[in-house]
Amino acid sequence: QSVLTQSPSASGTPGQRVTISCSGSSSSIGSSSVNWYQHLPGTAPKLLIYSNYQRPPGVPDRFSGSKSGTSASLAISGLQSEDEADYYCAAWDDSLHGWVFGGGTKLTVL
Amino acid sequence: QVQLVQSGAEVKKPGASVKVSCKASGYTFTSYGFNWVRQAPGQGLEWMGWISAYNGNTNYTQKFQDRVIMTTDTSTSTAYMELRSLRSDDTAVYYCARGGDRPHTLFGLFWGQGTPVTVSA
């Protein structure tokens, strides 16, 4: 069971906006910034969002992140077929003294 | 450009050990650390721990505290993750990812390609 909670699946049609949520606790998201990773089967994960809302170079601005209290969200606008992947949130947990991941959300583009 | 190249796939018997390497290039090795993350079949990402390439300090997650050893070799710019007393549920793809100089520093901008480890009798 993951320390951070994500819905197992999400879906949308091309062009739509989809939101993926991530719930944690006061010792994780409540006291640390959140990162989001995109993972395609057979490839290495890719850092999509860091420090709650920052995008690394090369990540389209269709991807945005936010955080409030002990929850965080990843929004994908203008959904494209290549966005079909697994998405994971992660945060440092002060109680566990380590990084914790959400269980992942499988995004399907219909 | 930054590159992390991991060693190849491994097949091990239960009770054995595996040592995965992660050779770094394109940056000053000792300025960063390494995180190790694994993904078992059908499961999510799981953080295993962090090591500083500067001084060898480590931070292991409690689950692996007794079975994992992370090391670095500055002469070859290579990080290693050794997992002992392997069980079938250690079957997974193991990734290295460049981290910072502290365990809680952001990681994940650069990853190795992953090393599949299969544990089977």
Side-chain angles (χ1 to χ4, degrees):
Chain A
Q1 189 148 354
S2 303
V3 174
L4 304 182
T5 302
Q6 298 180 239
S7 297
S9 63
S11 63
T13 56
Q16 266 191 332
R17 184 176 188 271
V18 170
T19 300
I20 295 170
S21 63
C22 174
S23 176
S25 65
S26 57
S27 64
S28 57
I29 294 177
S31 57
S32 171
S33 57
V34 177
N35 306 322
W36 289 90
Y37 301 87
Q38 179 191 60
H39 193 201
L40 293 156
T43 68
K46 174 184 176 181
L47 181 63
L48 211 56
I49 297 287
Y50 68 96
S51 297
N52 304 323
Y53 61 88
Q54 305 275 12
R55 284 186 304 276
V59 174
D61 59 6
R62 302 188 295 106
F63 295 90
S64 61
S66 64
K67 174 188 141 177
S68 177
T70 59
S71 295
S73 294
L74 171 71
I76 309 171
S77 60
L79 201 60
Q80 299 179 3
S81 58
E82 64 248 39
D83 298 334
E84 191 162 283
D86 296 322
Y87 292 85
Y88 294 88
C89 57
W92 178 263
D93 190 298
D94 281 337
S95 293
L96 299 174
H97 299 290
W99 286 93
V100 291
F101 281 95
T105 297
K106 184 176 182 59
L107 175 63
T108 301
V109 180
L110 303 170
Chain B
Q1 71 283 22
V2 175
Q3 276 195 306
L4 302 178
V5 179
Q6 297 184 223
S7 47
E10 301 263 14
V11 179
K12 297 291 183 181
K13 293 194 182 302
S17 298
V18 68
K19 192 170 185 177
V20 178
S21 67
C22 172
K23 184 171 177 59
S25 61
Y27 70 96
T28 301
F29 182 74
T30 52
S31 294
Y32 296 86
F34 289 87
N35 290 269
W36 289 88
V37 174
R38 77 176 189 179
Q39 183 180 38
Q43 304 297 311
L45 300 176
E46 180 176 31
W47 183 78
M48 299 179 69
W50 164 92
I51 182 168
S52 165
Y54 174 70
N55 56 19
N57 285 350
T58 55
N59 183 335
Y60 304 143
T61 193
Q62 187 171 10
K63 175 177 178 177
F64 300 105
Q65 186 79 36
D66 298 331
R67 296 197 296 135
V68 73
I69 301 174
M70 296 178 187
T71 56
T72 60
D73 182 340
T74 56
S75 67
T76 59
S77 298
T78 304
Y80 297 92
M81 187 285 300
E82 181 177 15
L83 190 60
R84 302 171 294 180
S85 303
L86 289 168
R87 307 186 289 253
S88 58
D89 61 1
D90 290 317
T91 294
V93 178
Y94 290 77
Y95 295 98
C96 63
R98 196 183 78 171
D101 59 351
R102 297 285 189 275
H104 59 273
T105 307
L106 170 70
F107 74 93
L109 200 52
F110 301 101
W111 294 76
Q113 81 276 21
T115 296
V117 174
T118 302
V119 182
S120 174

